[in-house]
Amino acid sequence: MKIAALAGGVGGAKLAHGLAQILPQKKLTIIVNTGDDFEYLGLSISPDLDTVCYTLAGLANPVTGWGRIDETWNTFDNIAKLGGQTWFRLGDRDLGTHLERTFRRKRGDKLSTITQDFCHAWSVKHRILPMTDEPVYTMVNTLEQGELPFQEYFVHQRCKPTVSGFRFDGVEKARPAPGVLEAINNADAVVFCPSNPWVSIDPILTVAGLRPACEAKPVVAVSPIIGGQALKGPAAKMYRELSIQPSALAVARHYADLLDGFVFDKVDSDSNLSIQEMNITTLLTNSIMEDMAGRRRLAKDVIDFVNTLL
Ligand code: FO1
């Protein structure tokens, strides 16, 4: 069975890692959100791509989920001493990634090519593709401060401003990166990882042709909301601020027509009937991925479930 998985953020990277443990390299393509990308200290940063790549490479920081394991902070400590910007923390090892990516982008290399080369260097066997090679910037509309660039909202302001909507700047001009449409068209099913629907999966679906390509396939989403909370990040807060009660049901409604199957946690069994009434087949399971075994277990549950839908 061939799977195209859409992912962004730490939760998405964890399930992508689990899927990569189970599926052979030719059977899985991971398509990653680049709406979080931004320029910082003159560097091209692609946080979600790096999180997914580092996670699959076994190089991710196990505490934060982003950045590198065994990191040191000498460069950043020095920048802080010099009075520079430090609200977005880049470790010494991680900085090497951004320096090399920035150098290659300035010389004209595509983000997808650079990602492929980095994955090769890190011995990541499965294909990881940015959603697009063109710049797309997620903008968060807030009640207090109007529109904020994503990382300004997310990291600098710690998701404190009240969200009133989102815009994916540049997406009208963005084409899917090489291999993205083919991966979806050739897949037996598409899996939406337990990533933030608003700012991780929606930007991917907004790139030209990707939503219709998903519509033509069986789609299974895994809920990032468990018991009304997001395990990590502001997804639940975003739903509340947009006047939607955060729940597995809200996530199913978010993707609605796209979904054939929905995987969510047993603690949310009270949503089951309402989701089934939307003509969506459901799987209730333990969706918390506490360790590597948990990632593999959830990935196996998802794959077995997808098989029942085909
Ligand atoms: N998230 C933070 O909350 N604080 C940081 O200082 C931070 C630095 C950082 C550096 C590299 C990287 O790849 C990711 C980093 N993140 C940081 C995470 C990242 O901004 C978000 O988790 C994602 O954009 C949301 O999916």
Side-chain angles (χ1 to χ4, degrees), residues 33-79:
N33 170 43
T34 58
D36 294 15
D37 291 15
F38 76 130
E39 276 222 358
Y40 180 68
L41 295 171
L43 300 172
S44 301
I45 317 278
S46 294
D48 281 3
L49 266 180
D50 288 346
T51 298
V52 173
C53 293
Y54 287 159
T55 301
L56 263 71
L59 296 172
N61 180 324
V63 179
T64 55
W66 50 262
R68 295 277 295 247
I69 194 168
D70 297 330
E71 189 57 284
T72 54
W73 300 91
N74 296 309
T75 312
F76 241 58
D77 289 347
N78 191 30
I79 293 174

Side-chain angles (χ1 to χ4, degrees), residues 8-10 33 36 45-48 50-51 54 66-67 86-90 94 98 150-151 154-155 200:
V10 175
N33 170 43
D36 294 15
I45 317 278
S46 294
D48 281 3
D50 288 346
T51 298
Y54 287 159
W66 50 262
T86 50
W87 59 267
F88 196 83
R89 294 177 56 76
L90 299 174
D94 193 29
H98 308 304
F150 181 77
Q151 299 295 349
F154 191 93
V155 174
S200 292

Side-chain angles (χ1 to χ4, degrees), residues 169-249:
D169 189 40
V171 80
E172 330 56 53
K173 292 198 195 124
R175 289 157 299 150
V180 168
L181 258 182
E182 294 82 346
I184 297 174
N185 291 340
N186 294 332
D188 296 299
V190 178
V191 171
F192 295 175
C193 290
S195 305
N196 186 315
W198 300 104
V199 293
S200 292
I201 303 295
D202 281 356
I204 305 178
L205 292 174
T206 313
V207 175
L210 296 193
R211 192 180 182 95
C214 290
E215 267 163 2
K217 294 287 168 180
V219 174
V220 169
V222 181
S223 178
I225 303 276
I226 302 176
Q229 306 282 337
L231 286 182
K232 203 170 185 339
K237 180 176 180 283
M238 287 171 171
Y239 273 105
R240 270 194 302 277
E241 290 169 358
L242 294 164
S243 308
I244 303 166
Q245 197 190 334
S247 63
L249 177 61

